[in-house]
Amino acid sequence: MIFSPVLFAFYVSWAVTGLGVALWIWSWVRVKDPIGRLRFQDCGVVLVFAAVLTRIVIQNREMTVFDWAMIFLGPLFIAAALWRLSRTQGLTKS
C-alpha cells in the first residue's frame, strides 16, 4: 500500500474524533470540579469539530447541506471553546 496524505488525514481525523469524545465522556464520569469539567468538554469540542472539518475538506464527493452547515458552524464552536478555555485557564483546582 502506498502512503497517501489524504488517507493518513482521514485516519488521524477519526482518531482525534475518538479522543475528543473520550475527553467529553471523561468530563462527565471522572471530573467533579465544574470548571475542570467545562475545560475537558471544550477540549473535546475543539478536537471533534476540527476532525469533522478535516474530513469535509478531504472528501471527494459533492458537499451536502450538512457539510455547508458544519463549514459555517464548526469554526464558531471552535472559537467559542477556545475563548472559554482561555478565560478559565487559572480557575481549576490543582
Side-chain angles (χ1 to χ4, degrees):
M1 185 157 122
I2 299 174
F3 175 75
S4 169
V6 173
L7 192 59
F8 178 72
F10 178 77
Y11 287 127
V12 168
S13 73
W14 276 109
V16 169
T17 299
L19 180 62
V21 170
L23 284 173
W24 191 79
I25 291 170
W26 182 265
S27 74
W28 284 103
V29 173
R30 289 297 210 181
V31 181
K32 302 297 182 204
D33 179 33
I35 301 296
R37 180 178 293 155
L38 180 69
R39 290 181 58 81
F40 272 101
Q41 290 172 354
D42 285 340
C43 289
V45 164
V46 169
L47 291 174
V48 168
F49 276 99
V52 168
L53 289 174
T54 301
R55 283 194 298 276
I56 289 172
V57 168
I58 64 172
Q59 71 184 357
N60 56 0
R61 62 175 170 81
E62 203 170 308
M63 287 182 60
T64 63
V65 174
F66 175 75
D67 295 335
W68 284 107
M70 291 303 294
I71 290 289
F72 289 114
L73 294 177
L76 292 175
F77 280 98
I78 291 171
L82 290 175
W83 180 79
R84 238 184 350 237
L85 281 168
S86 70
R87 299 286 294 178
T88 60
Q89 186 172 356
L91 300 177
T92 59
K93 296 178 186 175
S94 296

